[in-house]
Amino acid sequence: MGSGEMLRQIYQRLYDHFGPQHWWPGETPFEVLVGAILTQNANWQNVEKAIANLRDAGVLDLEKMSELPPDLLAGYIRPSGYYNIKAGRLRNLLAHINQAHGGDLDAFLGQDAAVLREELLSIRGIGPETADSMILYAAQKPVFVVDAYTHRILSRHDLIAEDYGYQEIQELFTDNLAEDVALFNEYHALLVRTGKEYCRKSAPRCDRCPLRGL
Ligand code: SF4
């Protein structure tokens, strides 16, 4: 079976098993951007608490958050962990949107995906996974998000070598699947779900996994 067929089969089995995942759990593009930084090295429940703090304080908004003193911002996002570092990263992102785009979030996100990606990757603290999550889930443009679960599942099914890097894995998807925002959105979410429930780092639950035998 070729890589394209294998990727399509994986998707179909996961979708049939889990159904739609309704990602990203953010109400606005700005909230998705904030969530993408807060979720670095954190579980989503803790990110939700941090986002709730920001919402309750009325600062889940580009202009208002830009005016917040750094220590206050760090305090609100404390539940997500690494809060001083993440506050710095959020401020770097806000500074970029304010300086390069006059604070116009739509103009920032409306750019060509390659340009947007380059800008995001130039911001300190934003790597490929965070940048691509923002492009896919906030800007709604078709880039495939790769994470540790993607790497683990694909390497365990011999679709990639253990030493494959981010870009090689991403190209495997984009070279073999149609560039479709809804598909990329759902596929990434399904891989995360599979990684959490079945394809654990140690003791994977292959006997009950929808991808068993593939
Ligand atoms: S748990 Fe087993 S069957 Fe499921 S994705 Fe991982 S390696 Fe494959």
Side-chain angles (χ1 to χ4, degrees):
M1 195 190 305
S3 302
E5 183 51 29
M6 183 86 163
L7 289 176
R8 281 186 285 277
Q9 281 210 22
I10 289 176
Y11 178 79
Q12 203 52 54
R13 284 197 190 196
L14 296 181
Y15 190 84
D16 290 347
H17 181 80
F18 291 116
Q21 299 301 295
H22 306 294
W23 273 35
W24 180 288
E27 286 177 14
T28 63
F30 184 69
E31 191 175 320
V32 175
L33 295 182
V34 172
I37 288 178
L38 298 185
T39 199
Q40 295 170 335
N41 301 305
N43 69 45
W44 189 254
Q45 283 100 320
N46 292 335
V47 174
E48 279 182 334
K49 287 178 199 157
I51 288 179
N53 287 346
L54 294 168
R55 188 179 291 115
D56 292 348
V59 293
L60 198 49
D61 165 279
L62 192 141
E63 210 180 318
K64 297 210 175 80
M65 194 180 285
S66 302
E67 290 164 0
L68 263 187
D71 55 339
L72 214 51
L73 176 59
Y76 289 137
I77 64 169
R78 196 181 180 105
S80 70
Y82 303 102
Y83 49 94
N84 283 319
I85 292 172
K86 289 179 182 176
R89 290 176 179 175
L90 283 171
R91 287 171 56 79
N92 293 342
L93 173 66
L94 299 174
H96 176 84
I97 300 170
N98 286 326
Q99 283 158 21
H101 299 277
D104 186 339
L105 186 62
D106 292 340
F108 173 61
L109 294 176
Q111 300 181 95
D112 177 77
V115 177
L116 178 57
R117 192 171 199 265
E118 205 173 294
E119 285 193 16
L120 284 166
L121 291 175
S122 74
I123 300 169
R124 250 176 97 96
I126 296 186
E129 185 185 334
T130 305
D132 289 340
S133 297
M134 291 172 169
I135 299 168
L136 180 63
Y137 292 103
Q140 305 270 315
K141 295 178 197 293
V143 297
F144 203 92
V145 180
V146 174
D147 67 353
Y149 295 124
T150 318
H151 182 278
R152 189 185 306 155
I153 294 166
L154 262 52
S155 65
R156 284 179 173 171
H157 285 271
D158 290 332
L159 267 160
I160 58 166
E162 192 65 34
D163 63 355
Y164 262 38
Y166 190 98
Q167 200 181 326
E168 289 169 295
I169 301 174
Q170 188 176 53
E171 282 171 3
L172 183 73
F173 286 94
T174 45
D175 289 352
N176 286 292
L177 300 175
E179 284 198 347
D180 180 338
V181 173
L183 172 69
F184 287 4
N185 175 328
E186 199 64 58
Y187 208 145
H188 174 63
L190 288 165
L191 288 171
V192 171
R193 181 94 185 260
T194 308
K196 283 184 176 161
E197 292 190 21
Y198 297 102
C199 204
R200 293 165 168 204
K201 203 168 182 177
S202 55
R205 300 165 158 172
C206 297
D207 56 332
R208 281 178 282 162
C209 177
L211 300 186
R212 67 186 175 278
L214 203 62

